[in-house]
Amino acid sequence: MDPTLEAVSKITVPLLGQRKLKGEKIACITAYDFPTARLADAAGMDLILVGDSLGEVVLGYESTLPVTVEEILHHLRAARRAVRRALLVGDLPFGSCQAPEALAASFRYLKEGGADAVKIEGGKKRSRVIQRLVDAEVPVMGHVGLTPQSVRAFGGHKVQGKTPDSAAEVLADAQAVEDAGAFAVVLEGIPCELAALVTRRLRIPTIGIGAGPACDGQILVMHDLAGLSPEPRPKFVRTYADVAGTLERALTRYGVDVRQGRFPEDRESYHWSAVMKEQFESEAAASSDKFLKAVTSDE
Ligand code: KIV
């Protein structure tokens, strides 16, 4: 745990808003299962997102588009069992971002998955659905810029907001998300100058991914940060560990040890007690059972 962290037992939606006012950065990460969510929570992450990126980094899909509400819910439940302090957010996958699907999925995330909030991709186009969710007491985090669910419409993973028109569009999207009542907005894949402008204009915290340092917080995909996703990784990723290398080396050593009979050793095996051994041997001696006799004579 980061020793500079304030002693807060539970991160809440209002607390994230206060962080922006105080100029304190918000650290966010994705996690999709019990062990990694537990580690992320213990490390003091403020927000843990069960993102639809799980489709690519955990389920092996080529994009986030095939991910279903059911899949997010499954992983959300696992993360919920681990997360105590961080705000836990469930992502609305492609095809669930319009009403009434968004409402139905969000209620399930909060009631069955234990989420504290939901995230939805899209700006102006989603403002009505965000309003309806907020009216229904569902805290919403928006997501604008290079939204991966729009890759087909964008013609690939292209940084948004590089021209005056596109920059104005991103700003308007972020503003629409705030006006609709979202408590925060993810800014993905936009120039850092634009992210700085959006961050200054909005009252709600901006959480950047590939949007430069001026955002109120940052989020990364756990598997990118841990070196578990395949290379090359996007330019904005900082890989803090080589978990894939560590795991592969461990698995290789284990395979060699098994094949060479070096695993398990005696200290890694269970044993009968001396009493049990003695009883077994005397029963074997007295028995006509050939199997028992054979076992004891082997020793
Ligand atoms: O799905 C996801 O993990 C996300 C984050 C990268 C913001 O949307």
Side-chain angles (χ1 to χ4, degrees), residues 162-197:
K162 288 174 91 174
T163 64
D165 283 353
S166 168
E169 188 84 354
V170 173
L171 179 58
D173 277 339
Q175 191 63 63
V177 164
E178 169 169 296
D179 294 344
F183 70 87
V185 61
V186 172
L187 304 179
E188 177 162 358
I190 62 171
C192 52
E193 297 82 359
L194 175 58
L197 176 69

Side-chain angles (χ1 to χ4, degrees), residues 28-263:
C28 315
I29 193 72
T30 67
Y32 320 99
D33 57 28
F34 183 84
T36 57
R38 191 165 52 89
L39 290 171
D41 200 48
M45 291 294 115
D46 297 308
L47 183 151
I48 295 177
L49 170 69
V50 179
D52 63 358
S53 52
L54 77 86
E56 289 166 301
V57 299
V58 174
L59 302 178
Y61 298 147
E62 280 185 2
S63 75
T64 60
L65 300 187
V67 175
T68 64
V69 166
E70 228 39 73
E71 284 166 338
I72 299 278
L73 204 48
H74 176 75
H75 289 268
L76 194 50
R77 287 195 196 103
R80 176 72 284 165
R81 289 177 207 120
V83 175
R84 297 281 169 269
R85 178 182 178 274
L87 193 83
L88 182 64
V89 181
D91 214 358
L92 291 170
F94 183 67
S96 73
C97 298
Q98 288 78 18
E101 291 84 358
L103 279 156
S106 301
F107 291 148
R108 291 192 70 198
Y109 285 7
L110 267 63
K111 291 169 81 166
E112 297 171 38
D116 297 312
V118 305
K119 178 171 82 59
I120 187 165
E121 288 190 15
K124 292 188 294 291
K125 288 184 201 154
R126 298 287 169 266
S127 79
R128 287 202 43 180
V129 73
I130 295 175
Q131 266 172 34
R132 289 189 62 181
L133 288 165
V134 174
D135 283 350
E137 314 303 342
V138 177
V140 179
M141 177 155 86
H143 185 165
V144 303
L146 198 186
T147 42
Q149 289 174 21
S150 322
V151 279
R152 291 215 177 105
F154 291 155
H157 285 86
K158 296 192 175 138
V159 173
Q160 301 295 298
K162 288 174 91 174
T163 64
D165 283 353
S166 168
E169 188 84 354
V170 173
L171 179 58
D173 277 339
Q175 191 63 63
V177 164
E178 169 169 296
D179 294 344
F183 70 87
V185 61
V186 172
L187 304 179
E188 177 162 358
I190 62 171
C192 52
E193 297 82 359
L194 175 58
L197 176 69
V198 175
T199 301
R200 279 199 306 276
R201 287 278 176 91
L202 295 195
R203 281 175 287 111
I204 58 173
T206 59
I207 308 296
I209 174 160
C215 299
D216 299 304
Q218 297 291 330
I219 186 162
L220 279 177
V221 168
M222 165 89 74
H223 289 59
D224 289 341
L225 169 148
L228 272 167
S229 56
E231 291 181 286
R233 301 186 188 102
K235 166 191 169 102
F236 60 80
V237 168
R238 187 178 296 173
T239 302
Y240 282 85
D242 177 24
V243 175
T246 303
L247 197 52
E248 192 178 334
R249 282 188 293 279
L251 289 166
T252 305
R253 280 171 45 213
Y254 165 67
V256 169
D257 283 352
V258 168
R259 283 182 216 105
Q260 298 188 353
R262 290 203 305 253
F263 177 83

